[in-house]
Amino acid sequence: MKVVLFCGGLGLRIRDAENVPKPLVTIGYRPILWHIMKYYAHFGHKDFVLCLGHRGDAVKDYFLNYNECVSNDFTLSEGGKKLELVKSDIHDWKITFVDTGLTSNIGQRLKAIEPYVRGETEFLANYSDGLTNLPLPSQLEHFRSQKAIASFVSVKPRISYHVVTADPNGRVTAIDDIDRTPIRINGGYFIFRREIFDYIRSGEELVHEPFQRLMRESRLTAYQYDDFWMAMDTFKDRQQLEEIYSNGEAPWEVWNDGIAPAYAQAV
């Protein structure tokens, strides 16, 4: 199944993203984009379509000059003449790079890659700025059982804000921690049927008009997930993800948790 990744974000709230596109901001020594692609590849989905925008050249350059030895263990022998990789990352990935506009919104980036998913009954998509240990086969099973055209992961926001309710005069009637409320957000992990393109008009943002049309027809579903999910929207988010990774506690590294690839392929 193809995986569409939106890679045009500016990342203005992340200091490290001033000179690089947001998907290339690193967690450890690899970009967050790599972590997301590795997640999908673990579940058997290795055919990627990258929707490029801001600094698309940098994304292309990263993969054109990708060095497996930097990311993996290897053995060097014969005075440096022989190099053997212990394992490899992207040797069996297929990556299509598509310029989808410098300032295009997500809906228009998705519409622009329609020719590249021709023939696909279903495909996956991602904002490319969040990490999770979501069991992807479970989301797929739920999506298919609902006979939906679009699905996204519904998660609890990982923020410490208070939710305030007030009357028209500003008198506060309720206040509570956000994690104690029923509020959930779109986690940016999507599944689409090809019919999604019929619901997108010129200039429209994906979660606005197209999703409204799907809701009216009961063709939009949300898969509720309450384990690890975290977006990298700010410099503080990036620091937290870096700390989690540095402590060796990265829950999004599902490829290290013993789940057999055969399980992913079977769904």
Side-chain angles (χ1 to χ4, degrees):
M1 189 180 300
K2 291 196 176 187
V3 184
V4 175
L5 300 174
F6 303 112
C7 302
L10 295 174
L12 296 177
R13 291 183 293 173
I14 305 175
R15 296 173 205 166
D16 289 12
E18 292 177 358
N19 297 313
V20 299
K22 187 178 182 181
L24 289 189
V25 175
T26 57
I27 305 298
Y29 55 90
R30 301 181 181 98
I32 188 170
L33 177 61
W34 180 93
H35 290 269
I36 293 169
M37 295 172 78
K38 183 73 171 178
Y39 165 87
Y40 283 111
H42 168 73
F43 290 110
H45 309 294
K46 304 177 182 182
D47 191 347
F48 301 98
V49 179
L50 306 191
C51 302
L52 305 180
H54 171 67
R55 289 304 312 276
D57 61 309
V59 177
K60 292 177 181 178
D61 205 47
Y62 174 77
F63 287 103
L64 285 171
N65 296 290
Y66 190 84
N67 188 340
E68 292 273 20
C69 296
V70 174
S71 294
N72 295 291
D73 298 339
F74 64 92
T75 299
L76 194 66
S77 60
E78 299 180 10
K81 296 178 182 178
K82 185 177 180 181
L83 188 152
E84 297 175 275
L85 284 167
V86 176
K87 59 181 178 178
S88 180
D89 289 324
I90 71 171
H91 70 284
D92 57 350
W93 295 4
K94 179 182 178 182
I95 309 173
T96 302
F97 301 82
V98 185
D99 182 358
T100 56
L102 192 61
T103 59
S104 302
N105 62 37
I106 296 297
Q108 298 313 294
R109 293 192 193 282
L110 181 59
K111 191 69 173 176
I113 60 85
E114 182 176 0
Y116 297 93
V117 294
R118 185 172 289 118
E120 296 287 311
T121 302
E122 303 168 333
F123 63 95
L124 306 164
N126 197 292
Y127 281 151
S128 301
D129 63 359
L131 299 170
T132 184
N133 60 355
L134 167 76
L136 184 58
S138 297
Q139 187 193 4
L140 275 165
E141 183 179 2
H142 176 265
F143 170 67
R144 290 163 180 164
S145 72
Q146 299 295 308
K147 302 186 185 305
I149 289 175
S151 167
F152 62 86
V153 173
S154 165
V155 298
K156 295 288 289 184
R158 290 172 59 92
I159 53 178
S160 58
Y161 295 139
H162 294 108
V163 176
V164 178
T165 304
D167 64 22
N169 296 317
R171 187 178 292 107
V172 175
T173 58
I175 184 170
D176 205 349
D177 293 333
I178 195 169
D179 60 358
R180 292 165 60 90
T181 72
I183 292 175
R184 305 186 71 84
I185 63 173
N186 169 13
Y189 281 67
F190 299 98
I191 307 172
F192 296 119
R193 289 187 60 84
R194 182 166 179 80
E195 290 91 328
I196 185 64
F197 296 111
D198 298 332
Y199 290 77
I200 306 173
R201 310 286 185 266
S202 177
E204 292 181 345
E205 173 58 278
L206 177 64
V207 299
H208 295 161
E209 299 90 346
F211 274 16
Q212 290 295 325
R213 295 184 186 108
L214 289 170
M215 282 190 286
R216 287 195 292 269
E217 297 179 13
S218 298
R219 304 301 299 274
L220 177 66
T221 187
Y223 181 74
Q224 185 170 311
Y225 189 62
D226 290 323
D227 206 322
F228 180 83
W229 173 90
M230 186 173 177
M232 188 180 67
D233 290 324
T234 66
F235 179 69
K236 182 179 179 181
D237 294 336
R238 193 259 174 176
Q239 285 185 310
Q240 290 178 337
L241 285 167
E242 183 69 36
E243 182 177 356
I244 292 170
Y245 179 84
S246 298
N247 290 336
E249 301 170 351
W252 63 86
E253 291 188 337
V254 293
W255 52 92
N256 291 330
D257 67 6
I259 296 178
Y263 167 66
Q265 297 280 5
V267 176

